[in-house]
Amino acid sequence: MNEAQTRFNKIDPKLRDAGWGIVPGSKILVEQSAYIAPGRITTTGNKNPKKADYILEYKGMKLAVIEAKSDEKDVSEGVDQAKRYADALKIRYTYSSNGDEIWFIDMGIKGSKGEYIIPSKEYDINQFPTPQDLWQMTFPEENPWRDKFNLCALNVSRTRSDIQRRRRDKCDSCF
């Protein structure tokens, strides 16, 4: 089947089984809202904006990128693209899936001189992680302040006074 059908019939159910889009605070951003870069700007608008197939978001943070391929293709065909998107978004974890297989990629962590502090690794997994599991992988140390600030919608309007008012109101409600 083509990529769209593979996503609908195979990948979407696996994400729901892991709790994505079901667990409160979890979101699955799909192509329409998963922009990586605007593409070439022309006088008639953006041409070929880069969009991930999926971005997994939890507690207001983008945690992973998923590159989907048709179930007729090998899962490895999406690996390079998944890595490019994760690198562009500065997201540590990414996945490539053809619906039958899921390839997990930990991009690792590089130090200021480009050396790996935590090495990258890749391997086949049976299921997508739950939102809480991916959160724990990304943020192994508890930080209540980070969690509260991530839940505050800070930039929701265009005027400076409205932004300041909304920040005050939203953040007051967080505490």
Side-chain angles (χ1 to χ4, degrees):
M1 69 183 83
N2 66 29
E3 182 180 313
Q5 280 303 124
T6 299
R7 290 174 59 182
F8 183 77
N9 292 337
K10 295 184 174 186
I11 298 174
D12 291 356
K14 288 181 180 187
L15 288 169
R16 282 192 303 276
D17 287 347
W20 289 98
I22 297 170
V23 170
S26 70
K27 291 183 185 176
I28 303 170
L29 305 177
V30 293
E31 282 184 324
Q32 294 83 359
S33 57
Y35 283 96
I36 305 296
R40 189 175 73 209
I41 309 289
T42 64
T43 57
T44 58
N46 294 355
K47 185 174 182 181
N48 301 324
K50 294 191 185 317
K51 297 182 250 179
D53 290 323
Y54 300 91
I55 296 176
L56 302 179
E57 183 178 294
Y58 185 53
K59 297 183 180 180
M61 297 287 291
K62 292 178 174 81
L63 301 180
V65 174
I66 302 172
E67 179 56 33
K69 292 297 175 194
S70 163
D71 66 351
E72 297 170 0
K73 295 184 177 181
D74 190 88
V75 71
S76 65
E77 290 191 35
V79 169
D80 288 339
Q81 195 172 0
K83 287 179 177 179
R84 281 195 310 273
Y85 289 165
D87 189 51
L89 290 170
K90 306 296 182 223
I91 294 176
R92 181 173 171 185
Y93 301 108
T94 188
Y95 302 84
S96 176
S97 181
N98 63 5
D100 297 322
E101 297 177 83
I102 303 168
W103 190 253
F104 167 75
I105 304 148
D106 176 348
M107 301 286 285
I109 297 177
K110 291 183 180 181
S112 60
K113 296 178 183 172
E115 77 287 3
Y116 279 100
I117 298 169
I118 298 176
S120 62
K121 55 188 170 190
E122 303 179 24
Y123 50 88
D124 190 43
I125 59 174
N126 294 324
Q127 60 191 24
F128 289 106
T130 66
Q132 187 60 38
D133 288 344
L134 190 54
W135 181 264
Q136 286 300 123
M137 290 165 52
T138 307
F139 303 110
E141 295 178 18
E142 197 170 318
N143 184 335
W145 287 104
R146 174 197 57 227
D147 299 348
K148 286 182 180 185
F149 280 116
N150 286 341
L151 294 175
C152 291
L154 297 178
N155 294 310
V156 292
S157 67
R158 295 175 193 233
T159 66
R160 184 172 176 86
S161 62
D162 198 31
I163 289 172
Q164 290 170 337
R165 181 180 49 78
R166 286 180 186 251
R167 281 182 179 169
R168 183 187 65 243
D169 294 346
K170 292 285 185 181
C171 288
D172 284 347
S173 68
C174 290
F175 304 101

